[in-house]
Amino acid sequence: MSQNQLDNKSAAWSALFSEPMSDLVKRYTSSVFFDKRLWRVDIAGSLAHAEMLCHQGIISARDHAAIVAGMQTIATEIEAGSFEWKLDLEDVHLNIEARLTQLAGDAGKRLHTGRSRNDQVATDVRLWLRDEIDAIADLLRLLQIALVDLAEKNADVILPGFTHLQVAQPVAFGHHMLAYVEMFSRDAERMADARRRVNRLPLGAAALAGTSYPLDRERVAASLGMDGVCQNSLDAVSDRDFAIEFTAAAALCMVHFSRLSEELVLWMSQSFGFIDIADRFCTGSSIMPQKKNPDVPELARGKTGRVVGHLMGLITLMKGQPLAYNKDNQEDKEPLFDSVDTLKDTLRIFAEMVQGITVRPQAMERAARRGYATATDLADYLTRKGLPFRDAHETVAHAVKTAIDQGVDLAELPLQVLQGFNARIEQDVYAVLSLRGSMQARNILGGTAPDQVRAQVARHRQRLA
Ligand code: ARG
């Protein structure tokens, strides 16, 4: 192949082709402008492959040295921004290989021995995703630590707990934050689990059937820090289930952010007034001077749709593809890249924003009081005094109705009035009717009592250390 031919993709494979590709088809089929971000792992994969070819005696030590030197130059050029990416060369793989051949001559042309772009690209995406999962794991840890800090600071702060967005029972604000820590810790587990299946080596599968060269696949896997090799060549080049699985985990993590965001937006509204978010995470309005909008959580809620969409895109991409590799798979990159970028940005910004949340305990307590949040405690009190729970439930409903009619809290009803509902009620009922008493009473593993919250904080701190 002449140097001239290497600059032109339609000539790169093709004594067979008799007419050039139109510009539109070139643009349509090329991926270089989005897959060039794989350059680092593409070079790493090539170097591992070349080292193994040399070790197996398939290429000479001289060729190997020329490949290593050429790749070093290419890495320097790309980092410096002087590497010329060519649309004509379709993708990151052909761009780098063509430049290598310019730099290293025949040695560059020998690099692709026993390899196809099909196993090359599958390897690159896996290596790239593995490293991104590691970065995501670090960020998930930082986010959880920030939430645990906020939970610990507010282990005693009373928040009205909701069901159906109606005041239900008082819970510790810290307990509420730790619910999200649980969700994000499961996200981290899912990422770690997906990583085990991502970190397998396709190289050696070649185009689809394996190769007749005596490659040492295990050697390449070990040098790339992979956990093993893909055991079936057809599967290795064609399935993108590892990317789908990752994106599913990412979408779920974004859904957790979306739920948290929804609560932050509600809580910051004038009607709730439970929290404030530091100005640096909010924006104003160009027309209404009084406004401070929680843009960051709103955007996170919106971006969740993007990542869920990418999951749908990727899973649909796979559906209906016959074995083995099809060009369809080139479409795996943009949704995967965008899922990673969106998730990482969201993780980063939330880990910071959580530290910029100010809690307003009085507003939360006021809201809890307005909602008769201790009615269940009164029913439990009557049950302890011997009333069957269902009867106690009914009795308390009457008491709540009276309190609503009089515009007071249950704890503000005089003892005689309460005794009118059931004679077993005594002075000690007022301890039960307090929000704090209610919260402290739920002193069971997983419950909202501040002592339980503090015990969970300690457990999380140990886990996250
Ligand atoms: N750019 C391609 C991709 O992303 C690389 C593999 C191309 N293989 C092929 N046989 N055309 O999937």
Side-chain angles (χ1 to χ4, degrees):
M1 207 184 290
S2 75
Q3 198 49 63
N4 233 0
Q5 281 174 312
L6 273 168
D7 288 344
N8 182 330
K9 176 192 78 168
S10 51
W13 38 72
S14 76
L16 197 66
F17 287 68
S18 57
E19 56 176 15
M21 226 179 224
S22 78
D23 283 346
L24 177 60
V25 174
K26 268 185 209 162
R27 189 164 57 72
Y28 196 74
T29 57
S30 76
S31 54
V32 62
F33 289 112
F34 52 82
D35 69 16
K36 65 182 175 190
R37 72 186 279 178
L38 294 172
W39 71 267
R40 239 180 246 283
V41 284
D42 192 68
I43 290 177
S46 287
L47 288 176
H49 180 67
E51 190 280 334
M52 178 276 296
L53 290 178
C54 176
H55 184 262
Q56 299 297 98
I58 300 168
I59 63 170
S60 68
R62 262 183 72 151
D63 282 344
H64 178 222
I67 289 170
V68 171
M71 287 301 197
Q72 263 159 11
T73 304
I74 291 172
T76 310
E77 288 173 355
I78 296 175
E79 254 161 11
S82 61
F83 188 91
E84 201 193 329
W85 296 101
K86 293 182 183 143
L87 185 79
D88 267 0
L89 288 166
E90 192 177 296
D91 57 23
V92 61
H93 324 293
L94 292 178
N95 267 272
I96 289 178
E97 195 186 330
R99 178 71 182 127
L100 181 69
T101 300
Q102 278 178 348
L103 293 164
D106 283 352
K109 293 190 208 164
R110 294 201 174 99
L111 170 64
H112 212 50
T113 310
R115 187 177 74 166
S116 154
R117 272 189 302 154
N118 297 352
D119 57 348
Q120 185 179 0
V121 70
T123 302
D124 287 6
V125 175
R126 283 170 181 268
L127 283 174
W128 179 85
L129 184 56
R130 176 194 68 189
D131 294 349
E132 293 297 337
I133 287 175
D134 291 344
I136 287 167
D138 288 345
L139 291 171
L140 269 165
R141 192 175 147 270
L142 293 180
L143 171 72
Q144 290 180 72
I145 290 171
L147 284 167
V148 168
D149 289 345
L150 186 62
E152 186 171 38
K153 255 188 269 158
N154 296 284
D156 294 287
V157 169
I158 292 166
L159 170 79
F162 297 100
T163 62
H164 315 271
L165 204 57
Q166 309 285 317
V167 172
Q169 292 171 356
V171 295
F173 186 81
H175 190 56
H176 198 101
M177 288 302 109
L178 291 185
Y180 284 102
V181 173
E182 294 289 335
M183 295 177 227
F184 289 120
S185 80
R186 287 194 298 276
D187 290 325
E189 281 176 28
R190 266 185 285 274
M191 290 291 169
D193 192 50
R195 187 190 192 280
R196 295 189 301 118
R197 284 176 290 279
V198 168
N199 201 26
R200 295 277 153 92
L201 181 76
L203 278 180
L208 76 166
T211 172
S212 56
Y213 294 96
L215 305 188
D216 184 345
R217 300 186 63 207
E218 302 283 357
R219 185 181 180 88
V220 178
S223 77
L224 290 171
M226 291 183 125
D227 298 328
V229 303
C230 299
Q231 298 288 318
N232 180 292
S233 60
L234 296 163
D235 175 49
V237 291
S238 68
D239 206 347
R240 297 291 183 267
D241 60 352
F242 65 90
I244 296 171
E245 193 181 343
F246 164 80
T247 309
L252 204 40
C253 185
M254 287 300 296
V255 166
H256 291 149
F257 274 121
S258 190
R259 297 189 71 186
L260 175 56
S261 297
E262 172 67 8
E263 299 202 313
L264 296 178
V265 170
L266 279 175
W267 292 347
M268 207 180 114
S269 73
Q270 282 77 10
S271 320
F272 281 75
F274 289 1
I275 59 162
D276 194 24
I277 298 177
D279 289 358
R280 62 186 181 280
F281 300 101
C282 300
T283 61
S285 157
S286 53
I287 176 168
M288 297 167 285
Q290 84 283 13
K291 293 276 276 186
K292 180 177 151 185
N293 299 326
D295 281 33
V296 166
E298 288 173 60
L299 264 174
R301 196 173 55 191
K303 284 174 188 287
T304 301
R306 258 168 107 114
V307 180
V308 171
H310 292 327
L311 171 62
M312 290 308 118
L314 282 174
I315 201 162
T316 310
L317 172 67
M318 213 68 250
K319 173 189 174 300
Q321 277 195 56
L323 298 186
Y325 176 86
N326 303 283
K327 185 78 167 182
D328 309 42
N329 284 331
Q330 184 164 290
E331 286 289 306
D332 65 353
K333 287 168 201 65
E334 287 162 292
L336 184 63
F337 294 166
D338 189 66
S339 297
V340 166
D341 292 343
T342 305
L343 180 59
K344 279 170 73 184
D345 281 350
T346 308
L347 282 162
R348 256 189 226 115
I349 204 161
F350 267 69
E352 274 182 42
M353 190 179 67
V354 163
Q355 300 170 48
I357 291 178
T358 313
V359 170
R360 300 234 164 89
Q362 285 100 335
M364 293 185 193
E365 210 172 313
R366 224 178 300 125
R369 202 161 284 125
R370 267 203 307 270
Y372 301 98
T374 58
T376 314
D377 298 271
L378 180 55
D380 289 341
Y381 171 88
L382 289 169
T383 305
R384 279 197 299 277
K385 301 250 172 180
L387 214 60
F389 180 77
R390 276 289 157 235
D391 295 340
H393 184 278
E394 180 63 17
T395 302
V396 175
H398 289 294
V400 170
K401 188 162 189 312
T402 301
I404 291 172
D405 289 346
Q406 298 186 9
V408 297
D409 186 41
L410 279 177
E412 289 166 334
L413 292 174
L415 187 58
Q416 304 95 290
V417 175
L418 286 170
Q419 284 170 336
F421 297 109
N422 190 294
R424 292 178 229 210
I425 295 178
E426 292 167 274
Q427 186 61 38
D428 61 354
V429 75
Y430 289 103
V432 161
L433 290 179
S434 82
L435 292 170
R436 196 154 297 283
S438 164
M439 192 166 74
Q440 273 157 357
R442 285 164 173 76
N443 196 2
I444 182 174
L445 176 66
T448 191
D451 283 348
Q452 292 291 338
V453 174
R454 277 183 279 270
Q456 293 286 345
V457 163
R459 181 178 69 80
H460 286 302
R461 286 217 189 283
Q462 211 169 32
R463 181 176 65 76
L464 294 164

